Coordinates of all heavy atoms in Angstrom, one line a residue:
C2 N 227.0 -15.1 58.7 CA 227.6 -13.8 58.5 C 228.8 -13.8 57.7 O 229.0 -13.0 56.8 CB 227.9 -13.2 59.9 SG 226.5 -12.8 60.9
V3 N 229.6 -14.9 57.9 CA 230.8 -15.0 57.1 C 230.5 -15.3 55.6 O 231.2 -14.7 54.7 CB 231.7 -16.2 57.6 CG1 232.8 -16.5 56.7 CG2 232.2 -15.9 59.0
E4 N 229.4 -16.0 55.3 CA 229.0 -16.3 53.9 C 228.7 -15.0 53.2 O 229.0 -14.8 52.1 CB 227.9 -17.3 53.9 CG 228.4 -18.7 54.2 CD 227.2 -19.7 54.3 OE1 226.1 -19.4 53.8 OE2 227.5 -20.8 54.8
E5 N 228.0 -14.0 54.0 CA 227.7 -12.7 53.4 C 228.9 -11.9 53.2 O 229.0 -11.0 52.3 CB 226.7 -12.0 54.3 CG 225.3 -12.6 54.3 CD 224.4 -11.8 55.2 OE1 224.6 -10.6 55.4 OE2 223.4 -12.4 55.7
L6 N 229.9 -12.0 54.0 CA 231.1 -11.2 54.0 C 232.1 -11.7 52.9 O 232.8 -10.8 52.3 CB 231.8 -11.3 55.3 CG 233.2 -10.6 55.5 CD1 233.0 -9.1 55.3 CD2 233.8 -10.9 56.8
A7 N 232.2 -13.0 52.7 CA 233.3 -13.5 51.8 C 233.2 -13.0 50.4 O 234.3 -12.6 49.8 CB 233.2 -15.0 51.9
G8 N 232.1 -13.0 49.8 CA 232.0 -12.6 48.3 C 232.5 -11.2 48.1 O 233.4 -11.0 47.3
P9 N 231.9 -10.2 48.8 CA 232.3 -8.9 48.6 C 233.8 -8.7 48.9 O 234.5 -7.9 48.3 CB 231.4 -8.0 49.5 CG 230.3 -8.9 49.7 CD 230.7 -10.3 49.7
T10 N 234.3 -9.3 49.9 CA 235.7 -9.2 50.3 C 236.6 -9.7 49.3 O 237.6 -9.1 48.9 CB 235.9 -9.9 51.7 OG1 235.2 -9.3 52.7 CG2 237.4 -9.9 52.1
R11 N 236.3 -10.9 48.8 CA 237.1 -11.5 47.7 C 237.2 -10.7 46.4 O 238.1 -10.8 45.7 CB 236.7 -13.0 47.5 CG 237.0 -13.9 48.6 CD 236.5 -15.3 48.4 NE 236.8 -16.1 49.5 CZ 236.1 -17.1 49.9 NH1 235.0 -17.4 49.2 NH2 236.5 -17.9 50.9
A12 N 236.1 -9.9 46.2 CA 236.0 -9.1 45.0 C 236.8 -7.8 45.2 O 237.0 -7.0 44.2 CB 234.6 -8.8 44.7
E13 N 237.2 -7.4 46.4 CA 237.9 -6.2 46.6 C 239.3 -6.1 45.9 O 240.0 -7.2 45.9 CB 238.2 -6.0 48.1 CG 236.9 -5.6 48.9 CD 237.2 -5.4 50.3 OE1 238.1 -4.6 50.6 OE2 236.6 -6.0 51.2
E14 N 239.6 -5.0 45.4 CA 241.0 -4.8 44.9 C 242.0 -5.0 46.0 O 241.9 -4.5 47.1 CB 241.1 -3.3 44.3 CG 242.4 -3.1 43.7 CD 242.6 -1.7 43.2 OE1 241.5 -1.0 43.0 OE2 243.7 -1.3 42.9
G15 N 243.0 -5.8 45.7 CA 244.1 -6.0 46.6 C 243.9 -7.3 47.4 O 244.9 -7.7 48.1
C16 N 242.8 -8.0 47.3 CA 242.5 -9.2 48.1 C 243.2 -10.3 47.3 O 242.8 -10.6 46.2 CB 241.1 -9.5 48.3 SG 240.7 -11.0 49.2
I17 N 244.2 -11.0 47.9 CA 244.8 -12.1 47.2 C 244.1 -13.4 47.6 O 243.8 -14.2 46.8 CB 246.3 -12.2 47.6 CG1 247.0 -10.9 47.0 CG2 247.0 -13.4 47.1 CD1 248.4 -10.7 47.5
F18 N 243.8 -13.6 48.9 CA 242.9 -14.7 49.3 C 242.3 -14.3 50.6 O 242.8 -13.5 51.4 CB 243.6 -16.0 49.3 CG 244.6 -16.2 50.4 CD1 244.3 -16.6 51.7 CD2 246.0 -16.2 50.1 CE1 245.2 -16.8 52.7 CE2 246.9 -16.4 51.1 CZ 246.6 -16.7 52.4
Y19 N 241.1 -14.9 50.8 CA 240.3 -14.6 52.0 C 239.6 -15.9 52.3 O 238.7 -16.3 51.6 CB 239.4 -13.5 51.8 CG 238.7 -12.9 53.0 CD1 239.4 -12.0 53.9 CD2 237.4 -13.3 53.4 CE1 238.8 -11.6 55.0 CE2 236.8 -12.8 54.5 CZ 237.5 -11.9 55.3 OH 236.9 -11.5 56.5
E20 N 240.0 -16.6 53.4 CA 239.4 -17.9 53.6 C 239.0 -18.0 55.1 O 239.5 -17.4 56.0 CB 240.5 -19.0 53.3 CG 240.9 -19.0 51.9 CD 242.0 -20.0 51.5 OE1 242.6 -20.5 52.4 OE2 242.2 -20.2 50.3
F21 N 238.0 -18.9 55.3 CA 237.5 -19.1 56.7 C 237.6 -20.6 57.0 O 237.2 -21.4 56.1 CB 236.0 -18.7 56.7 CG 235.4 -18.9 58.0 CD1 235.7 -18.1 59.1 CD2 234.4 -19.8 58.2 CE1 235.1 -18.2 60.3 CE2 233.7 -20.0 59.4 CZ 234.1 -19.2 60.5
Y22 N 238.1 -20.9 58.1 CA 238.2 -22.3 58.6 C 237.6 -22.5 59.9 O 237.5 -21.6 60.7 CB 239.7 -22.7 58.7 CG 240.4 -22.7 57.3 CD1 241.0 -21.5 56.8 CD2 240.5 -23.8 56.6 CE1 241.6 -21.5 55.6 CE2 241.2 -23.8 55.3 CZ 241.7 -22.6 54.9 OH 242.3 -22.6 53.6
Q23 N 237.1 -23.8 60.1 CA 236.5 -24.1 61.4 C 237.2 -25.4 61.9 O 237.4 -26.4 61.1 CB 235.0 -24.3 61.2 CG 234.2 -24.6 62.4 CD 232.7 -24.6 62.2 OE1 232.3 -25.0 61.1 NE2 232.0 -24.2 63.1
S24 N 237.5 -25.5 63.1 CA 238.1 -26.7 63.7 C 237.2 -27.9 63.6 O 236.0 -27.8 63.9 CB 238.4 -26.4 65.2 OG 238.8 -27.6 65.9
D25 N 237.8 -29.0 63.3 CA 237.0 -30.3 63.3 C 236.7 -30.8 64.7 O 235.7 -31.4 65.0 CB 237.8 -31.4 62.5 CG 237.9 -31.1 61.0 OD1 237.0 -30.4 60.5 OD2 238.8 -31.7 60.4
E26 N 237.7 -30.5 65.6 CA 237.5 -31.0 67.0 C 236.6 -30.1 67.8 O 235.9 -30.5 68.7 CB 238.9 -31.0 67.7 CG 239.8 -32.1 67.2 CD 240.5 -31.7 65.9 OE1 240.8 -30.5 65.7 OE2 240.8 -32.7 65.2
D27 N 236.6 -28.8 67.5 CA 235.8 -27.8 68.3 C 235.2 -26.8 67.4 O 235.9 -25.9 67.0 CB 236.7 -27.2 69.4 CG 235.9 -26.2 70.3 OD1 234.7 -25.9 70.0 OD2 236.5 -25.7 71.2
P28 N 233.9 -26.9 67.0 CA 233.3 -26.0 66.0 C 233.2 -24.6 66.5 O 232.9 -23.7 65.7 CB 231.9 -26.6 65.8 CG 231.7 -27.5 66.9 CD 233.0 -28.0 67.4
T29 N 233.5 -24.3 67.8 CA 233.5 -22.9 68.2 C 234.8 -22.2 68.0 O 234.9 -21.0 68.2 CB 233.2 -22.8 69.7 OG1 234.3 -23.4 70.5 CG2 231.9 -23.5 70.1
V30 N 235.8 -22.9 67.5 CA 237.1 -22.3 67.1 C 237.2 -22.2 65.6 O 237.1 -23.2 64.9 CB 238.3 -23.2 67.7 CG1 239.6 -22.6 67.2 CG2 238.2 -23.3 69.2
C31 N 237.4 -20.9 65.2 CA 237.5 -20.6 63.7 C 238.6 -19.7 63.4 O 239.2 -19.1 64.3 CB 236.2 -19.9 63.3 SG 234.7 -20.9 63.6
Y32 N 239.0 -19.7 62.2 CA 240.1 -18.9 61.7 C 239.8 -18.2 60.4 O 239.2 -18.8 59.5 CB 241.4 -19.7 61.5 CG 241.9 -20.4 62.7 CD1 241.4 -21.7 63.1 CD2 242.9 -19.8 63.6 CE1 241.9 -22.3 64.2 CE2 243.3 -20.5 64.7 CZ 242.8 -21.7 65.0 OH 243.3 -22.3 66.2
F33 N 240.1 -16.9 60.3 CA 240.2 -16.3 59.0 C 241.6 -16.2 58.6 O 242.5 -15.9 59.4 CB 239.7 -14.8 59.1 CG 238.2 -14.6 59.1 CD1 237.6 -14.3 60.3 CD2 237.5 -14.8 58.0 CE1 236.2 -14.1 60.3 CE2 236.1 -14.6 58.0 CZ 235.5 -14.3 59.2
L34 N 241.9 -16.7 57.4 CA 243.3 -16.5 56.8 C 243.1 -15.6 55.6 O 242.2 -15.8 54.8 CB 243.8 -17.9 56.3 CG 244.5 -18.8 57.4 CD1 243.4 -19.3 58.3 CD2 245.2 -19.9 56.7
E35 N 243.9 -14.5 55.6 CA 243.8 -13.6 54.5 C 245.1 -13.0 54.1 O 246.1 -13.0 54.9 CB 242.8 -12.5 54.9 CG 243.2 -11.8 56.2 CD 242.1 -10.8 56.6 OE1 241.9 -9.8 56.0 OE2 241.4 -11.2 57.6
E36 N 245.2 -12.7 52.8 CA 246.4 -12.0 52.3 C 245.9 -10.9 51.4 O 245.0 -11.0 50.6 CB 247.2 -13.0 51.5 CG 248.5 -12.4 51.0 CD 249.4 -13.4 50.3 OE1 249.1 -14.6 50.3 OE2 250.5 -12.9 49.8

């Protein structure tokens, strides 16, 4: 789902960055970082 979301989001006007991270220790913990 994130892979489908990232491209259109990054193309939006005003998006400086939009990134998705996943914990190495626990793959059920993820983070979106955006500006």
Side-chain angles (χ1 to χ4, degrees):
C2 292
V3 170
E4 288 176 14
E5 289 182 28
L6 175 67
T10 296
R11 290 176 178 149
E13 286 180 53
E14 182 179 344
C16 180
I17 296 170
F18 70 81
Y19 192 82
E20 299 175 348
F21 180 72
Y22 294 86
Q23 187 174 29
S24 169
D25 290 338
E26 290 82 28
D27 183 351
T29 67
V30 176
C31 301
Y32 298 88
F33 279 107
L34 278 70
E35 54 191 289
E36 183 173 355

